[in-house]
Amino acid sequence: MEVKIQSIHFDATEKLQAFVEKKVAKLEKTYEDIQKVEVQLKVVKPATANNKEASLTVTVPGGTLFVEKVSDTFEESIDLGVDSMRVQLQKFKEKLRKY
């Protein structure tokens, strides 16, 4: 599984990148055929609370899934995004089973 992390309007620390990679890697437990995960970290409306946006685009055979979360920290946004993506992957897997 390829993981691409993009930081917009700031430079992500190695610690943050390692956190993102660790969390995103756990998605493979839900769906083992993930081909690529693109993570975009962006600071929106600087100088306000809840200005850390994380979006995940997950490419799987037969589809692309997307989720976007905004919160006070990138770690929280990633946690929320990964949880939401896990649900989407589960639904996608169930839909495939029906065919």
Side-chain angles (χ1 to χ4, degrees), residues 14-46:
E14 284 182 26
K15 185 178 173 186
L16 178 58
Q17 289 183 15
F19 176 85
V20 170
E21 287 176 14
K22 182 180 173 189
K23 289 291 182 174
V24 166
K26 291 180 178 181
L27 289 173
E28 280 192 308
K29 290 179 183 171
T30 305
Y31 197 92
E32 53 283 336
D33 293 333
I34 295 173
Q35 296 167 324
K36 183 168 71 172
V37 179
E38 292 181 44
V39 179
Q40 204 174 63
L41 304 172
K42 184 165 43 173
V43 177
V44 289
K45 295 183 242 161

Side-chain angles (χ1 to χ4, degrees), residues 12-88:
T13 62
E14 284 182 26
K15 185 178 173 186
L16 178 58
Q17 289 183 15
F19 176 85
V20 170
E21 287 176 14
K22 182 180 173 189
K23 289 291 182 174
V24 166
K26 291 180 178 181
L27 289 173
E28 280 192 308
K29 290 179 183 171
T30 305
Y31 197 92
E32 53 283 336
D33 293 333
I34 295 173
Q35 296 167 324
K36 183 168 71 172
V37 179
E38 292 181 44
V39 179
Q40 204 174 63
L41 304 172
K42 184 165 43 173
V43 177
V44 289
K45 295 183 242 161
T48 63
N50 295 323
N51 68 339
K52 309 294 189 297
E53 178 183 287
S55 63
L56 284 81
T57 305
V58 175
T59 306
V60 293
T64 302
L65 307 172
F66 179 80
V67 68
E68 184 176 272
K69 297 292 177 185
V70 179
S71 67
D72 210 26
T73 66
F74 284 116
E75 290 82 359
E76 186 182 358
S77 294
I78 287 294
D79 279 339
L80 294 170
V82 166
D83 288 347
S84 182
M85 184 58 72
R86 195 174 283 130
V87 171
Q88 280 192 44

